[in-house]
Amino acid sequence: AQSVTQLGSHVSVSEGALVLLRCNYSSSVPPYLFWYVQYPNQGLQLLLKYTSAATLVKGINGFEAEFKKSETSFHLTKPSAHMSDAAEYFCAVSVMGSARQLTFGSGTQLTVLP
Amino acid sequence: EPEVTQTPSHQVTQMGQEVILRCVPISNHLYFYWYRQILGQKVEFLVSFYNNEISEKSEIFDDQFSVERPDGSNFTLKIRSTKLEDSAMYFCASTDSQSYGYTFGSGTRLTVV
C-alpha cells in the first residue's frame, strides 16, 4: 500500500520568500505523485504531477516539484511567494493498477505574510 | 477546459435520511471516484468505479454507501441512512485511461443534523 507524509501542517513565509512544502512517500512500486491546492471552501486544483517522465516537474502558478527516488521525496517549491498562494496544499500518490486511487497526505496550510 | 460537475453544492439532511450526491464526470473518462474530506482533515478515498463496477473501496465505504452510474453521464453516491459523522465535503473525480489526469469536482458539502 502507498502512503504520503507531509512534514509541517502549517508553514508561514513572507511575501517574496521561497516556498518549500515537504512531501515524502512510501510505495512498493514506482509511484505517480501529485500536488493539489485547495482554497477556502473550494475544491481541489491540480498544481502538478509526476508520472515517470522528467524528475523536475513544473506546474501552474510558478510552482515546481522534484521527484527524488533516493530520498522518496516530492517537495513543492516556488521561488517567490505571493499573497494569493495562501491555501492548503495536499501531496498525493497513486500507483498503476486497476483502481488508481489517490492517497493524500494530511495537508500543509501555507500562510503568506505581508 | 472540461469539468467535473457536482450537485448539489450544499445539502443538509436529518440523521437517518437517505441522500444522493450527483456527479457528471468528464465525458471521455473511464475511471470514477468518490472522496470525502471531514472538516479540517485530509481527503480520504471512498470508492473507485471502472467498467460499470466498483474496482476498489475503502473501509469507510460500508454497506450504508452505494454508487451507481445510471446512464452514460451521471455517477451517484448514495448514503442510505445518514449519521452525524457522515458530515463532510464529498468530492467526485474522474480520470482517463492514459494520463492519470485526475479532475476533481468542486464538492458537495453534506451536513447531517
Side-chain angles (χ1 to χ4, degrees), chain B residues 5-44:
Chain B
T5 305
Q6 288 187 244
T7 54
S9 57
H10 292 85
Q11 177 142 9
V12 181
T13 188
Q14 288 199 323
M15 192 168 54
Q17 294 297 304
E18 174 183 286
V19 294
I20 298 176
L21 309 183
R22 292 183 165 79
C23 170
V24 179
I26 293 174
S27 61
N28 63 343
H29 283 185
L30 300 177
Y31 297 82
F32 313 114
Y33 307 85
W34 283 101
Y35 292 82
R36 80 171 185 191
Q37 184 183 30
I38 295 172
L39 187 64
Q41 298 186 23
K42 69 178 178 180
V43 180
E44 301 172 290

Side-chain angles (χ1 to χ4, degrees), chain A residues 3 9 22 77 79 88 90 95 100 114:
Chain A
S3 66
S9 57
R22 299 178 187 273
T77 60
E88 181 123 30
F90 291 95
V95 296
R100 306 185 175 197

